[in-house]
Each structure stands twice: as C-alpha cells, then as structure tokens.
Amino acid sequence: MTKITDNMRKYSSQVVDGVEAAPGRAMLRAVGFTDEDFKKPQIGIASTWANVTPCNMHIDKLAEEAEKGANAAGGKGVIFNTITISDGIANGTEGMKYSLVSREVIADSIETVVGCEGFDGVVAVGGCDKNMPGCLIALARLNRPAIFVYGGTIKPGYGHTDIISVFEAVGQHAKGDIDLIQVKQIEDTAIPGAGSCGGMYTANTMASAIEALGMSLPGSSAQDATGTDKALDCFRAGEQVLELLARDIKPTDIMTRKAFENAIRVVIALAGSTNAVLHLLAMAHAVNVPLTLDDFTEIGKTTPVLADLRPSGQYMMSELVAIGGIQPLMKRLLNAGLLHGDVLTVTGKTLAENLEYVADYPADQDIIRDFDHPIKKDSHLVILHGNLSPTGAVAKITGKEGLRFEGRARVYHGEEAALAGILNGEVVAGDVIVIRYEGPKGGPGMREMLSPTSAVMGKGLGKEVALITDGRFSGGSHGFVVGHITPEAQDGGPIALLEDGDAITIDAETREISVAVTDAVLAERRARWVAPKSAYTRGVLAKYAKLVSSASEGAVTDA
C-alpha cells in the first residue's frame, strides 16, 4: 500500500473537508463512503462501458478491477461512465458523422466529471477507436496523476475472420464471388465476443501508441480483452495511480515531445492506422506539445514498417499478443536508436528501464520482420502536398499497392453516392474515386470511408483504382487511399473544384498529390463554387462544425 499523505488530496480535500462540506459528505455516504474514505485520495475510474459495441461490452468489469486496485493501494476509487459509439456498426450510414465528434464529447465529459467531483487521480479504461484518444485528451487537460488502460483485443472469428472480412464480403457479393448464404456465414461468425477489432486497426493502433507514449503500463496494449492478464492490468493501474500521486507525476511529465516521437515510430513500425495522425496531433495539442504533419514525414523517413498485420498484412493482434506484444518491438527500436529511452512513463521509470529485461520474440515467428527485411523501408503513413492538398493529406501506402497512381477523377458528393457507384459497376479500373464534403466541417464529422474501401477490395479493384477524400479512413481500410485532404471541400479547398475526368497523380515517393488543371481553370471554377448549406443547424453536429479545426491540425475543438 502506498503511504498516504495530505499532499495527495489536493482536489478531494476541497470537496469533502470541513464543516462546510457536510452536505457533500452526506451525498457521498449514500453511495458507500465511510468516515475513513473521506481521508483517502479519491481516484476517478472513467469507464467507457456500453452494450452498443463488443469493443466495450466488458469494460464495466475491468473498471471494477481498477477500482479494487485503487482501494487496495489506500485510495478511494469512484467509477463513472462516459459514452462510446461503434464505428463498425455506424460505418456507411449517416450515424457515422457522430464518430469523431464522440472523441470530443468523451474528453469533455471526463474533464467535466473529474473537475466537478474533485478526483485526485484518474484511471481511464477505453476500448474503441475514439474513446481512447478522447480519454487521453481529457487526462492531458486535467493534468492530474493518471493512467490509461486498454480494454484489449478481440479473438479471431471462424476461419480467421474479423469485422473487415464482413465489410469486404459485401463487395465480394456485389462482384458475384460469394452468395448471400456465404455473406451470412461470415456475418454470423466473424465477431466471437468482447474486445476491439482484431487487426492493427485504429483501436489497436491507438492502444500501442498510448503505451509507447508512456501513459499505459507495459503490455497494456497487447492483451486479449477477456484474459486474466487484462484484469490484472486494470488492478495494477488502480494501484499505480496512487504511486503517481505520491510522486506527483502528471501527464505533462510523461506526454513530452520525445514521447510523441516514440509513439509515432511505434505506429509506423506496426503499420498502424491513418487515424493515429489525427489523434496524436489532437493529443499533443491538448498537452501543448508542438506537433505537425511534417513531423510524421521526418520521423517516417527513418522508420521502417516491420509488422505483417491486418489490414495490409495477414496476422491479427491476438497473434502478436501470443508472441509477446509490442514490448519486444519497442526494445528492438530502442536498441536501433529509434526510440528515446530517457522519457518518463506511468511506471515511474523511464522507457529504457521498462524494457531492460524484455525478451526478444521467438526465433520462428514471422509477424515482426527484422530491420534487414522490412515490409517497407520507410513509413506507410505518407504526408502528401500539392495543388490538390496545399495544407496536407494523409496516405496509407504500404507499397503493396504500388507507390504511384495516375487516373481520372470519378467525383462523388458524399460516401453513399460513392458506395453505390462502386457496387453498381460505375467505378472502373483507372479511376480515382473522389469523395468530398466529408471533412470535419463538411460532413460534419469526417466519416470513415470503410464501406467504400472495403467494397473496392471486395470487388478486386484494390490495385486498379485509388480513392481520395477530405474524410478519413478506418484502420481497416487498405488499398491506394488518401484521406484528410486539406483544405476540405466545405472550406473551398481544391478538392471541391474537381470534375469528372480530371487527371490526378498520387506519388508516394515525391509525396505529391496533384491535379492536371491550370491555376486559371481552378480560379474560374472557384468563382462559380458555392459552399453547400449544412443539413445540421442545431445540436452537437452543428456545434462541432462551428468549432472544429482542420484535419491537418488534428480536428480539435478547443483553441
């Protein structure tokens, strides 16, 4: 048990000490506080539990383990909930506009509860794409001793399937490769239970990034959702936050510029999701650490892709868990001089100290390549500039799709129209599918284009077409895809001015995305362009559209 001192009750003492706090104590007695509890540091346990998605359906039990850990270490754990949504369920629908918005709602809600209730420390347990960066943004704003715990990965479905298998089955059916019975069989067996989507999609990417950042306990990002390791991880997090309180170690001590550089390198080595760019920019903004798109380019020049993980590779996260998770990879990167070993972590030790006794992967594994045989010698996250994206775009190019694509624009206003065009055969080889008015403001909400990219792959067009958008992609998207095009169409960016048949070039080696249209023609088109009016004039989406920044700045909503 951690030795408890009054210095560890900086916030809760303001809420429960003194005769003036009697009404508040009376309320707390009703939820189980005793006289002794009022003398303990209060630890808020932010739970993202909900039955709306398998990613979070088990997190109520994990939150209880974190509470037990905090109590065992001499604190008083208090569980509270925040929201989560499901990208896997909402993708391809109007509801997906709420996905990225939920990151801000989650951050705001955790900040609100912790700030109001006077919790001295925080353990946040998250399991799906947006609640993880949402938790970290809140922890950064609050800057109280805190730890993030990942809810864990799902097990593979029957036949080594997962949620992306289901999305791609839709395209396979449209092509005529499988019938409705086969689609139903994949649908019925791909999701066997609790846990986040099983490849190196956004959830596993962000969990890995947060561990590399130092804000999770070692190993937290690579554990099965339903295993005993994950329950123990939660208990230990509850204990450890008391130690952080005793030593006054806060997120600003951990989430430094060097730590973000480590997170970026780990994401690249794992072939992680493009969403990591958006979220790491937002997390850095929350902690006032300068980070830009150009940093991803510079770090990416010297960081190889080493992991053969889905969606572009063949293995799932559970298989990486079985050989040791990301800790051996981080040690390899550290030994190669690619990580900063002197950064502080939530263990109270440096990254190098955490990795000192980590064993390497088994000799016969082929999930993580060695440095002499990388999947790609530099980053798969390619930041593109050019007359089509003056302030930057994010491509996910592993090299398996090729490094250059030239084609003619096939323009769609919105995801639904594009998906219909792909499935009905309107999109053909040589097309660059353009999906616009899906940016943070234009959507609003910057939907993921998982349904269109999965349909492209399912129809066997993955190497025959490219797809560009001012929206974003799921971590499960693969193919020759470019998202986060800025300025977005709603702001009058060049993507708003494209017309069917325009010649577009995407070059990952020169990091350029351009359209073969003269400045004079673009100026003439701009003179005719009128920004469409949003269908959302009230509510959270309208508020978001008014506040949100460019995707090139992380799509943040606070100045």
Side-chain angles (χ1 to χ4, degrees), residues 251-405:
T252 49
D253 301 315
I254 297 170
M255 297 171 67
T256 62
R257 166 69 189 210
K258 285 183 176 181
F260 277 98
E261 291 177 2
N262 286 348
I264 292 170
R265 286 206 193 271
V266 169
V267 166
I268 293 169
L270 289 169
S273 166
T274 53
N275 279 319
V277 178
L278 195 72
H279 296 325
L280 287 171
L281 288 172
M283 288 156 55
H285 179 270
V287 80
N288 293 316
V289 168
L291 194 69
T292 69
L293 287 176
D294 291 339
D295 292 317
F296 287 83
T297 296
E298 290 306 310
I299 294 169
K301 289 177 182 178
T302 56
T303 310
V305 176
L306 300 173
D308 188 17
L309 294 166
R310 292 190 180 189
S312 57
Q314 58 180 318
Y315 293 103
M316 292 192 185
M317 190 66 180
S318 59
E319 292 164 302
L320 180 60
V321 170
I323 64 166
I326 74 166
Q327 290 277 298
L329 171 63
M330 290 174 65
K331 187 166 185 177
R332 288 184 179 187
L333 293 170
L334 178 67
N335 290 341
L338 294 175
L339 294 184
H340 301 289
D342 59 345
V343 294
L344 187 64
T345 73
V346 292
T347 64
K349 300 178 182 179
T350 66
L351 179 68
E353 289 172 327
N354 290 344
L355 296 173
E356 183 176 0
Y357 299 108
V358 170
D360 198 16
Y361 293 116
D364 60 348
Q365 67 85 29
D366 59 354
I367 300 174
I368 302 295
R369 302 277 186 90
D370 60 45
F371 288 102
D372 293 330
H373 304 90
I375 291 170
K376 190 170 184 285
K377 64 180 177 60
D378 53 10
S379 182
H380 65 301
L381 299 175
V382 183
I383 308 302
L384 304 174
H385 292 272
N387 71 344
L388 188 44
S389 187
T391 53
V394 181
K396 185 179 184 180
I397 300 174
T398 64
K400 296 178 181 180
E401 313 85 354
L403 297 173
R404 181 182 172 89
F405 194 97

